[in-house]
Amino acid sequence: MGYTENDLLNKIPASQRSAFSAKVKSLATHLGVPVYHLLAIMDVESGLNPAIQNKYGYTGLIQFGKTAAQEIGTTTDALKSMTA
């Protein structure tokens, strides 16, 4: 049995869950993809932990590297300090 959308959202701290859910839903609509798919990608990439960094320096919910972070106007350090 796999995870449901709610199972994945429940990995986000309760105090952040509502805002996070709304943002993911908005992004999914903008991209034209199911919310569950974005959540599943984030879960595989980071376990839905925005502060996680792997041994290669990739950081955040979807594991941005330094160059990708710079391309969107941020840094991996800034990503690491973000909440969900």
Side-chain angles (χ1 to χ4, degrees):
M1 184 166 133
Y3 290 109
T4 67
E5 185 176 314
N6 282 335
D7 291 334
L8 294 171
L9 286 171
N10 284 335
K11 291 184 173 190
I12 302 300
S15 63
Q16 300 172 25
R17 196 172 301 138
S18 178
F20 178 82
S21 178
K23 187 64 174 179
V24 171
K25 286 177 183 178
S26 173
L27 183 57
T29 298
H30 175 76
L31 295 172
V33 299
V35 172
Y36 178 81
H37 288 183
L38 289 181
L39 291 170
I41 289 166
M42 288 181 224
D43 190 43
V44 168
E45 290 286 319
S46 66
L48 288 162
N49 176 352
I52 200 159
Q53 187 171 53
N54 72 19
K55 65 183 179 180
Y56 303 107
Y58 290 83
T59 306
L61 290 170
I62 56 173
Q63 296 290 281
F64 280 95
K66 288 181 182 183
T67 302
Q70 288 173 341
E71 287 177 5
I72 62 167
T74 192
T75 65
T76 54
D77 286 338
L79 290 169
K80 193 173 178 179
S81 68
M82 290 181 179
T83 65

